[in-house]
Amino acid sequence: MRVTQSMLSNNMTRNISNSYERLGKLQEQISSKKKFTKPSDDPVAAMQGLGYRTDLNRILQYQSNIGEVRNWVDSTDDALDKTVLALQKIRELTVQASNGTLDASQRDYITREIEQMKQQIQSLGDTEVGGKYIFNGTKTNQRPSSTGFSGGVIELEVYNGIKLQINTPGKQLFEPLVGDTSITPASPGYLDTLITKIKNDDNISAELANMDKHIDNFLSERASIGARQNRVDLMDDRLSQQEVFSTRILSNNEDIDIERAIIDLTTQESVHRAALGIGARIIQPSLMDFLR
C-alpha cells in the first residue's frame, strides 16, 4: 500500500489530538482530585459511588441524630441533678421544721423558702432544648407549667433499625411534686401539701419518708439516664468508625492517587513532546513547496 504525505499528516494529527486528550484528562483529574468528573468517564465506578455516597450521607444523618439525643439526654441529666439538689434542700428544711421548738413565724419562713424551691423545680420541669420542652412527652411545643405534664416517648433512629429514647416524660416525676396544671382549678402537688403541714405543724417528721421516696425516684431516673448516656457514647463511637470506613471506600472509588497522576502527567507530556518532534521530522517540505 502506498503511503502518501496526506496519510502521514492525518495520522500525525490524530495521534497528537489523542495525546492532547490524554493530557487534558490527566490535568482535569489533578485539578479536581477525582478519577472521573462525569459518569461516562467510568460508569461502573460512578454507579458504585452513588451507593457509597448514600451510605455516607446516611451515617452523617445518624451522627446528627446522635448529637440531638446527646443534647436531650445531657440536658435531662442536668435538670434532674438540680432537682435532686432542690429536693435535698427541701428535706433539710423539713428536718428543721420538724423541730417542735419552732414558732409559727419560723415555720412560715421555712415554708416561704420551700415555695421558692418549688418554683425552682417547676422551672426545671420547663427545661427547653432547641425550643422544645423535654419533659412534656410528645407535646414538646407546650410549656408543662402552663398546660400540665404530658406523657409519651420520643425516639430517634441512630442506626439502621436502632432507635434511642431521647426524652424522659415528667408526668411521673415533676407532676407529683408541683401538681397538675392541666385542670382548673389546678390540683396541688406534694410540695403544696408539705407546705400546708409545716404551716399547721401537722406531724411534719412523718413527711421525711415521703421526701426520700421522691428523691429516690429522681435518683433512679438519673441512673437510667446514665445508662442511656453510655449507650449514646457507644453508638457515637460506632458511627465514627463507620464514617471512616465509608469515607475511605468512597475515596478509593473516586479520588485519584495524586502522586501517581503527576507522574502519569509528566510521562504523557514527554510522550507528547516526542510525538510533536517526530511529526515535525516526518512532515518534510514537498516539491510543491518549492514550486510556489
Side-chain angles (χ1 to χ4, degrees):
M1 182 180 68
R2 180 172 174 270
V3 178
T4 66
Q5 187 72 20
S6 175
M7 293 173 62
L8 290 174
S9 298
N10 290 338
N11 285 337
M12 185 194 72
T13 302
R14 183 174 60 255
N15 291 333
I16 291 177
S17 177
N18 291 338
S19 180
Y20 272 124
E21 185 177 349
R22 288 191 291 271
L23 277 173
K25 184 174 182 179
L26 286 168
Q27 289 172 337
E28 189 175 31
Q29 287 179 340
I30 292 173
S31 62
S32 66
K33 297 182 177 63
K34 297 294 181 182
K35 294 178 181 177
F36 55 90
T37 56
K38 53 185 183 294
S40 59
D41 293 339
D42 191 339
V44 174
M47 184 172 293
Q48 290 176 331
L50 289 175
Y52 298 148
R53 199 172 297 279
T54 298
D55 290 341
L56 181 58
N57 289 337
R58 186 183 297 116
I59 290 171
L60 294 177
Q61 181 59 56
Y62 288 150
Q63 287 180 318
S64 177
N65 290 352
I66 276 287
E68 184 72 2
V69 174
R70 188 184 298 280
N71 288 340
W72 279 60
V73 172
D74 289 349
S75 297
T76 299
D77 183 58
D78 181 66
L80 295 183
D81 178 50
K82 288 182 171 57
T83 302
V84 170
L85 293 177
L87 289 175
Q88 289 172 340
K89 177 62 178 177
I90 292 174
R91 191 185 189 284
E92 293 174 5
L93 293 170
T94 303
V95 171
Q96 294 180 24
S98 65
N99 187 338
T101 62
L102 297 183
D103 56 29
S105 62
Q106 291 172 317
R107 291 197 305 275
D108 182 64
Y109 174 80
I110 290 175
T111 57
R112 279 183 285 166
E113 193 167 353
I114 291 177
E115 179 64 35
Q116 292 298 314
M117 291 293 101
K118 175 194 169 184
Q119 293 179 17
Q120 171 68 6
I121 292 173
Q122 198 164 42
S123 69
L124 289 168
D126 288 340
T127 298
E128 294 179 79
V129 172
K132 297 179 181 179
Y133 297 100
I134 62 177
F135 290 113
N136 205 22
T138 56
K139 297 182 179 179
T140 58
N141 61 331
Q142 299 178 8
R143 184 184 295 273
S145 61
S146 301
T147 62
F149 287 92
S150 178
V153 170
I154 302 174
E155 295 180 326
L156 278 181
E157 189 173 20
V158 295
Y159 203 72
N160 188 22
I162 299 177
K163 295 182 178 181
L164 290 182
Q165 179 179 337
I166 70 172
N167 72 323
T168 297
K171 193 169 184 65
Q172 287 74 37
L173 290 173
F174 289 94
E175 189 173 285
L177 288 173
V178 300
D180 184 2
T181 56
S182 63
I183 58 177
T184 304
S187 64
Y190 171 71
L191 296 180
D192 297 307
T193 302
L194 178 63
I195 289 172
T196 300
K197 287 201 170 190
I198 291 176
K199 283 183 177 179
N200 298 330
D201 196 14
D202 181 13
N203 194 19
I204 302 172
S205 59
E207 296 305 315
L208 294 176
N210 291 328
M211 282 298 307
D212 289 338
K213 288 180 182 179
H214 286 289
I215 292 173
D216 287 343
N217 286 340
F218 278 85
L219 291 175
S220 176
E221 188 59 36
R222 282 203 70 195
S224 297
I225 293 294
R228 206 178 302 167
Q229 286 173 319
N230 291 335
R231 181 81 183 279
V232 169
D233 290 339
L234 290 173
M235 288 305 305
D236 195 17
D237 290 342
R238 181 178 180 183
L239 286 172
S240 295
Q241 289 296 325
Q242 288 296 319
E243 181 188 7
V244 172
F245 297 152
S246 295
T247 301
R248 186 171 63 216
I249 291 173
L250 182 62
S251 177
N252 290 339
N253 184 67
E254 296 183 357
D255 296 341
I256 64 168
D257 182 343
I258 192 69
E259 292 83 2
R260 181 179 181 84
I262 291 174
I263 292 173
D264 290 344
L265 178 62
T266 302
T267 302
Q268 185 58 40
E269 286 176 340
S270 299
V271 171
H272 185 71
R273 283 194 297 269
L276 290 175
I278 293 172
R281 296 179 63 181
I282 290 176
I283 308 301
Q284 297 294 333
S286 65
L287 178 60
M288 295 301 298
D289 293 322
F290 295 102
L291 294 177
R292 286 193 182 100

